[in-house]
Amino acid sequence: MSKSIYRQTPIFLSFLFALIGLTTSLSIQAQTPAYPTKPIKLIAPVAAGGGLDNIARAVAEKLSRSIGQTIVVENMGGGGGTIASQAIAKAPADGYTLMIAYVGTHGTNPAVRRLPYDAIKDFTPIGMIGATPNVLVINSDLPIKNFKEFVDYAKKNPAKLSYGSAGPGTLTHLGMEQLKLAAGIFMVHIPYRGVGPAYTDLLAGQTQAMLPTLFAALPYINTNRVRGLAVTGAKRSSAAPTIPTFKELGFSGFDGQQWYGLVGPANLPPAIVTKLNNELNKVLALPDFSEKMTSEAMTLMPMTPPQFTNYIKEDIARWAKVAKDRHIELE
């Protein structure tokens, strides 16, 4: 072999290896179909109508346009989201069956119940959508004008206050138990089958307090039928800027909110997760989508999949601590 050929051999080999690599990459791409190639099913773990269903349909509409494929919303209520969550956990990990997770399915339920699914291991967190704070509201007939007066009144009248919830183990229950523990007050818990009946008795004066979502409470607050005293979260809501946060009032740790996010079955391919996360965050940045969610007292919270995973873990840990401190465990 001549010296000239010897000197050129490394260059030739480098070119040859690069060509082989490119050919292999193109071959793999040709064998891997683009995602998505067919309609996607998005499960809303509630009955049709209401806040979560509205969010699911708004996300589906915008996301379908963004990814160029139809997204069909399927309502699957029952068991506080347990039935839908179990269905998603058993679905094929191909990106064609997704769910709107929320604080019930991946926050409070795992903290207080023995579930047929593992809220961490059986799902792939794709991205956060947003959250609406909860607000402490009281019957407007009570002689109380602010949060400090509420705590003082509760301490002086331990047998006079009861609060309603949407049911045992819900955010409206655990949040109030967290408040009772932090403030050193006593209130009787009256559980209902849903937030609607709880509101009926609150407005009638049968119960005196509740911790619903701010969005659900705003019509009653704005018409002075209930009085809003404090909201959860890190900052005041633009939907009710005059209501202070619990943190402002000296009560830290009241960050629990009614949150919503997008999840799929465990072991979704990373490329599909990345694509869906990118497209979801594009939807959250759309001005008309942001305006619609703001009108429902929601703060949009775009996250990466790892950030959303950590959020879920922290939320479960938050409510598990409250459940342990208050000895709450449900079948």
Side-chain angles (χ1 to χ4, degrees):
M1 182 181 291
S2 69
K3 292 182 179 180
S4 175
I5 294 176
Y6 179 80
R7 286 194 299 267
Q8 294 176 15
T9 296
I11 299 175
F12 174 75
L13 289 175
S14 297
F15 173 76
L16 181 61
F17 291 149
L19 183 61
I20 292 172
L22 177 61
T23 302
T24 302
S25 175
L26 292 174
S27 176
I28 292 173
Q29 290 179 20
Q31 296 172 15
T32 305
Y35 170 84
T37 59
K38 61 181 181 180
I40 296 169
K41 179 166 64 177
L42 178 60
I43 293 179
V46 294
L52 192 153
D53 183 51
N54 291 338
I55 291 167
R57 295 180 186 282
V59 169
E61 177 189 358
K62 296 296 183 183
L63 193 58
S64 65
R65 294 181 184 179
S66 181
I67 65 177
Q69 188 57 259
T70 301
I71 298 179
V72 180
V73 175
E74 179 179 320
N75 295 93
M76 192 178 294
T82 300
I83 294 175
S85 298
Q86 194 172 5
I88 283 291
K90 294 180 178 179
D94 56 9
Y96 291 100
T97 306
L98 308 173
M99 185 181 84
I100 299 293
Y102 73 110
V103 67
T105 60
H106 287 71
T108 55
N109 276 351
V112 301
R113 300 178 187 274
R114 295 180 181 179
L115 300 172
Y117 64 87
D118 187 304
I120 301 298
K121 296 179 181 179
D122 291 341
F123 300 86
T124 299
I126 295 168
M128 173 71 95
I129 298 170
T132 181
N134 283 61
V135 57
L136 174 62
V137 294
I138 60 171
N139 182 282
S140 58
D141 291 333
L142 286 175
I144 297 169
K145 301 299 182 184
N146 55 52
F147 181 75
K148 183 180 182 304
E149 290 182 4
F150 173 77
V151 173
D152 291 342
Y153 184 89
K155 288 182 177 180
K156 294 175 181 177
N157 302 276
K160 289 187 177 182
L161 291 181
S162 62
Y163 76 91
S165 78
T170 63
L171 183 60
T172 53
H173 174 207
L174 295 183
M176 287 296 275
E177 291 301 311
Q178 182 186 24
L179 176 59
K180 286 167 59 176
L181 189 64
I185 59 178
F186 175 79
M187 289 182 285
V188 176
H189 174 216
I190 309 295
Y192 294 83
R193 292 187 175 181
V195 73
Y199 261 117
T200 298
D201 275 6
L202 175 66
L203 296 174
Q206 299 301 314
T207 59
Q208 290 72 46
M210 192 161 65
L211 192 73
T213 64
L214 178 60
F215 173 64
L218 276 176
Y220 303 106
I221 293 174
N222 292 337
T223 55
N224 298 316
R225 299 180 71 189
V226 299
R227 188 170 295 119
L229 302 182
V231 295
T232 62
K235 61 181 181 180
R236 296 192 185 197
S237 171
S238 59
T242 61
I243 303 178
T245 64
F246 282 98
K247 185 176 181 179
E248 286 179 70
L249 299 168
F251 287 77
S252 61
F254 284 78
D255 301 322
Q257 303 183 88
Q258 184 79 13
W259 59 263
Y260 309 90
L262 187 65
V263 302
N267 303 314
L268 276 184
I272 291 179
V273 176
T274 299
K275 181 178 181 64
L276 286 171
N277 178 264
N278 289 339
E279 297 301 330
L280 175 63
N281 288 340
K282 288 179 184 178
V283 168
L284 302 187
L286 294 173
D288 59 336
F289 184 83
S290 176
E291 183 178 350
K292 176 177 175 60
M293 294 299 103
T294 299
S295 70
E296 298 190 9
M298 180 184 289
T299 299
L300 298 179
M301 300 167 64
M303 294 182 185
T304 64
Q307 287 172 333
F308 186 33
T309 299
N310 289 335
Y311 186 95
I312 292 173
K313 290 179 179 178
E314 290 172 0
D315 209 48
I316 293 174
R318 177 202 321 279
W319 300 121
K321 183 180 185 308
V322 173
K324 180 179 179 181
D325 291 341
R326 304 303 291 175
H327 307 290
I328 300 170
E329 185 176 355
L330 308 174
E331 292 296 329

